[in-house]
Amino acid sequence: YFSAQKAVPGPSGNTALESKGKELFHQGIAAKGVPACASCHGPQALGSGETPRLADQWSHYVLAQLDVFHTEQRPAGVAMHAIVGQLTQQDMEALATYLQSIGAK
């Protein structure tokens, strides 16, 4: 039922965080060795195969998941531990805000 529902992007209300999140998602942080999220999750964050869809997810949910990866509480996410470990709290908030706002195009 839920997978058949049309996703509706939620407004973030913070264009500065959205902009920062968009930059991080599409470009990463080269100086820290953080790849662009889009390189695995796709340019529209739709995911594929085992890589999850991130577009339209509520920011509080994405942030909670990033926090879990940041603290290595999810053993199966080895690649994400290395990436998220390089992000600041503000980086994670920016990504979560952007992902909530983009929607499926």
Side-chain angles (χ1 to χ4, degrees):
Y1 170 79
F2 290 109
S3 65
Q5 303 308 303
K6 178 137 176 84
V8 179
S12 75
N14 190 327
T15 56
L17 268 182
E18 272 184 42
S19 179
K20 169 84 171 168
K22 181 177 183 177
E23 180 181 325
L24 289 171
F25 185 83
H26 291 285
Q27 297 175 16
I29 307 172
K32 291 184 173 183
V34 175
C37 306
S39 64
C40 293
H41 293 276
Q44 295 177 324
L46 299 177
S48 65
E50 292 185 22
T51 304
R53 173 194 181 106
L54 300 176
D56 309 315
Q57 297 290 338
W58 290 108
S59 61
H60 65 274
Y61 173 77
V62 173
L63 189 55
Q65 297 310 305
L66 289 172
D67 283 338
V68 168
F69 284 122
H70 201 265
T71 60
E72 299 185 13
Q73 294 174 13
R74 184 171 291 145
V78 175
M80 288 298 296
H81 295 290
I83 295 167
V84 176
Q86 300 299 313
L87 300 177
T88 66
Q89 188 66 32
Q90 185 180 21
D91 292 337
M92 293 189 294
E93 288 174 12
L95 282 167
T97 299
Y98 171 67
L99 291 167
Q100 177 176 306
S101 74
I102 62 175
K105 308 269 190 273

